[in-house]
């Protein structure tokens, strides 16, 4: 009998939490032959990632995963062998009581948000004993040894490399999206939260010496983009040109196609956690818009990652990419920092590939979770 896994996901911010848990659930089922049940409290956020899904179904099978609506009134179900509480969501009280009554204990894992902070490795894998006798284990994704690693399918890098080495495959994919860039244009993707710094970046791109084709999937940055373009709407497929900058809106696409967008581009601006990790596997220079937290706690996480990421760069290139990220996340003027990044383009491109391969030397997150369970039993 297959080992059973329950993954609980509460949709907090659009697609980030469900994006990570859906990828994880699919990989556990496909690569580790596990019986995976994904509980989601808002299936409307799931459907854009998996268009075949039914937002009204209480239970359904998608790509080898049993997807369940997490109901407000919990109905009794058999507790799984492994229970993942993703990103601090709270398990139903009835499910917790069933865990207590289980003859053989279930492994309860609190899957935390990704961070590069120093303390993560020290807390990874530690238990927390509750007054009722249940024990919860903390599991931290991360970038260094001693953490849970990053989500990465077993064949991901091979598929990405094959795609990037095949210009006809790239062309066919882009054309299927309605994208026909100038052959000499640099391709950039933009997926971000609202940002007052966008106008300065777009102005720098439009005044640049090199043609740029900017791909913007539907999302929260769209209002700022419309304001700079001075248009009322930008439906998917619409193209607007300003100076050397071409702006094109894209529809929200499923995860597999978003990966290919990242692979197709020369530079990727991403947000949150899921697209942030996928941009790293794309092995292209990138710009991260971190989710803003109370009391500016996100700045600590941002700077901790940058301190790791710039290792191996020249001081000037490291300063350029750091300044760009800090300006972007502060909503500040990006003109100078973007121009500085362009001066180090080749070095930053080579560094992105090295960083990707360096991270791939670690066990991926799904693999690390499975090993954690095997060592626990």
């Amino acid at each position: 009998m297959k080992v059973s896994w329950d993954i609980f996901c509460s949709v907090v911010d659009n697609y980030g939490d469900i994006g990570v848990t859906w990828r994880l659930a699919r990989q556990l089922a496909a690569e580790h032959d596990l019986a995976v049940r994904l509980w989601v409290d808002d299936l409307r956020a799931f459907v854009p990632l998996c268009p075949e899904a039914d937002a009204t179904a209480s239970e359904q099978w998608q790509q080898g995963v049993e997807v369940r609506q997490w109901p407000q009134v919990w109905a009794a179900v058999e507790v799984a062998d492994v229970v993942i509480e993703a990103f601090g969501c709270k398990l139903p009280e009835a499910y917790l009581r069933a865990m207590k009554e289980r003859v053989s204990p279930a492994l309860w894992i609190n899957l935390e948000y990704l961070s590069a902070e120093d303390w993560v490795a020290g807390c990874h894998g530690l238990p927390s004993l509750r007054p009722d006798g249940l024990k919860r284990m903390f599991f931290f994704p991360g970038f260094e040894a001693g953490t849970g690693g990053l989500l990465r399918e077993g064949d991901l890098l091979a598929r990405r490399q094959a795609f990037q080495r095949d210009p006809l495959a790239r062309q066919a994919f882009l054309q299927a999206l309605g994208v026909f860039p100038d052959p000499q244009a640099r391709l950039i993707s933009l997926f971000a939260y609202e940002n007052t710094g966008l106008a300065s970046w777009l102005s720098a791109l439009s005044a640049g010496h090199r043609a740029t084709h900017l791909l913007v999937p539907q999302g929260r940055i769209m209002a700022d983009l419309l304001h700079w373009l001075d248009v009322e709407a930008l439906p998917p497929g619409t193209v607007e040109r300003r100076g050397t900058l071409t702006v094109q809106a894209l529809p929200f696409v499923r995860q597999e196609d978003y990966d290919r967008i990242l692979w197709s581009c020369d530079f990727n601006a991403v947000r949150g956690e899921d697209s942030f990790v996928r941009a790293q596997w794309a092995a292209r220079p990138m710009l991260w818009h971190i989710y803003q937290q109370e009391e500016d706690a996100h700045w600590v996480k941002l700077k901790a990652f940058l301190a790791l990421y710039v290792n191996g760069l020249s001081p000037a290139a490291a300063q350029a990419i750091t300044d760009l990220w800090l300006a972007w996340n502060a909503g500040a003027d990006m003109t100078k920092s973007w121009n500085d990044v362009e001066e180090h383009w080749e070095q930053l491109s080579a560094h992105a590939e090295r960083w990707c391969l360096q991270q791939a030397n670690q066990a991926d997150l799904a693999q690390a979770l499975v090993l954690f369970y095997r060592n626990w039993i």
Side-chain angles (χ1 to χ4, degrees), residues 14 56 68 74 79 103 166 268 282 348:
N14 291 309
T56 65
R68 291 283 199 102
W74 186 258
V79 173
V103 175
D166 186 350
N268 293 300
L348 290 168

Side-chain angles (χ1 to χ4, degrees), residues 34-51:
L34 301 171
V36 183
R37 191 164 51 183
L38 175 62
W39 297 90
V40 185
D41 65 351
D42 185 0
L43 287 172
R44 293 171 300 176
F46 176 59
V47 170
L49 303 178
C50 179

Side-chain angles (χ1 to χ4, degrees), residues 192-246:
Y193 305 113
E194 300 86 349
N195 197 316
T196 55
L198 178 65
S200 62
W201 187 24
L202 296 177
S203 295
L205 290 171
S206 66
H209 65 278
R210 182 178 179 184
T212 298
H213 196 117
L214 183 69
L215 302 178
V216 190
Q218 296 296 305
R220 288 170 54 176
I221 195 66
M222 192 59 67
D224 292 320
L225 180 63
L226 295 178
H227 181 73
W228 184 82
L229 289 169
D230 194 23
V231 297
E232 293 186 359
L234 197 68
T238 305
V239 174
E240 293 281 346
R241 293 180 175 83
R242 302 291 186 276
T244 56
L245 173 64
T246 299

Side-chain angles (χ1 to χ4, degrees), residues 181-187 210-212 266:
D182 184 281
Q184 303 305 315
R186 169 179 53 195
L187 211 58
R210 182 178 179 184
T212 298
D266 303 294

Side-chain angles (χ1 to χ4, degrees), residues 108-233:
W108 179 9
I109 295 174
N110 186 340
L111 179 62
E112 292 284 352
Y113 286 106
L114 175 64
S115 178
E117 294 169 88
D118 291 340
W119 57 265
V120 165
C123 294
H124 174 64
L126 291 184
S128 173
L129 188 63
R130 289 165 42 108
D132 60 7
L134 288 175
K135 184 167 63 174
R136 178 171 52 177
M137 310 297 293
F138 288 91
F139 202 94
F140 286 84
F143 304 94
E144 296 187 287
T147 69
L150 303 175
L151 265 179
R152 184 187 78 252
E153 299 89 332
D155 64 346
L156 177 64
L157 264 61
R159 288 189 289 111
R160 187 266 296 171
Q161 290 167 346
F163 181 89
Q164 290 179 335
R165 291 169 181 164
D166 186 350
L168 292 180
R170 177 180 182 268
Q171 182 184 48
F173 169 71
L174 291 173
Q175 289 181 353
L177 288 177
V179 178
F180 297 86
D182 184 281
Q184 303 305 315
R186 169 179 53 195
L187 211 58
I188 295 178
S189 75
L190 171 62
F191 186 54
Y193 305 113
E194 300 86 349
N195 197 316
T196 55
L198 178 65
S200 62
W201 187 24
L202 296 177
S203 295
L205 290 171
S206 66
H209 65 278
R210 182 178 179 184
T212 298
H213 196 117
L214 183 69
L215 302 178
V216 190
Q218 296 296 305
R220 288 170 54 176
I221 195 66
M222 192 59 67
D224 292 320
L225 180 63
L226 295 178
H227 181 73
W228 184 82
L229 289 169
D230 194 23
V231 297
E232 293 186 359

Side-chain angles (χ1 to χ4, degrees), residues 7-26:
I7 303 175
F8 286 83
C9 173
S10 178
V11 177
V12 177
D13 176 58
N14 291 309
Y15 307 103
D17 295 352
I18 181 58
V20 173
T21 51
W22 173 228
R23 287 191 195 274
L24 175 61
R26 282 182 295 166

